[in-house]
Amino acid sequence: MVDEVTQHSDRLVAVVVTHDRLQQLKITVARLLEAAPDQLAAVLVVDNASRDGTGDWLAGRDDARLHVLRLGDNRGGAGGFAAGIEHALSRLSAGWIALMDDDARPEPGALAAFHAVARDRDTAYAGAVRYPSGDICEMNRPGLNPFARPRVLWATLTGGGRNGYQLDAAAYDDVALRDIDMGSFVGLFLPKTAIRAVGLPDPALFLYGDDVIYSLRLRKADVRILFDPALRFEHDCATYVPGQGAARIRPLWKAYYLFRNRLIMYRHAAGPLFWLFGPVLAAKWRLDARHYGADAPRFRRVWACAVEDGMRGRTGLRLDEVRALAD
């Protein structure tokens, strides 16, 4: 009986959320299924109402470890991960869940590295995410909450900026595990006990920041999160594109979720201090319109709605309404 309980607790299930990126999904599924069954018990693909043939391709796969959860509408990363985590716990008997996007996957040996050492079942583990080039993937770089750590806040305010609270390159090249407060849904290993402590990610967030907000909820519940550089992941993402000295987000409707959820995220991180700097940050983001050329009026329209909703904590706007803002 003890052995059965231990095996159940160690049962690792990968949850992959996808939407209309079949070619990337094929690479990710193949990479995951290369792992031995004792390293990865199941792969759950959450299909966010894809229309590019994803459903037919998945239906044609013949692997007992591959499971599919088809959603009737596109619920974004947040909604997809919420549905996938719930399904993995209730239907696939997951003891651990490894989260990733469809264009992200563990590097060879990463899952073996997860099982190679004893893992605390009350602790979440975040992987080291890089681009295929080997460079650190900035959008998945973990960090500390500066508002909960005075020294980190001081380093951030005195010129460090993002480098003041995010892990540096040395952490990726090290072997030591490090405490973090903010992780990513690419390469995050969640134990069942942690999920039960805080519940599911908020599906209303749809896209962007949902992983950081969830991490902050974990920390508020005293769930420890450790960055483990041995858990190496690759993220072949291209959401951000160069543009006149700044990063522009494409398609433009995604900027709504980026700005709205950033404000919600900062409220989680800073508490009452948010009202001292939140409006300043929002005004600064409006200046990004200068990088959008002829699309600047549309950018400002999206920005204004995102800021109003973010400051009020409103998450009720539907995807079709967000898209209409940017059209």
Side-chain angles (χ1 to χ4, degrees), residues 78-123:
F81 282 120
I85 291 171
E86 193 281 330
H87 189 91
L89 290 178
S90 64
R91 307 293 288 274
L92 300 178
S93 302
W96 288 88
I97 297 176
L99 304 179
M100 66 204 74
D101 294 331
D102 50 12
D103 57 355
R105 67 277 309 187
E107 293 188 8
L111 299 184
F114 176 78
H115 291 287
V117 298
R119 300 289 175 178
D120 183 349
R121 296 189 181 93
D122 294 319
T123 298

Side-chain angles (χ1 to χ4, degrees), residues 3 59 70 81 89 99 116 131 172 195 243 250 255:
D3 289 342
R70 169 80 177 182
F81 282 120
L89 290 178
L99 304 179
Y131 294 112
Y172 283 68
I195 300 167
R250 290 288 187 247

Side-chain angles (χ1 to χ4, degrees), residues 192-212:
K192 177 173 60 177
T193 52
I195 300 167
R196 286 179 171 173
V198 302
L200 300 172
D202 182 358
L205 293 171
F206 192 79
L207 187 71
Y208 296 135
D210 49 311
D211 44 10
V212 175

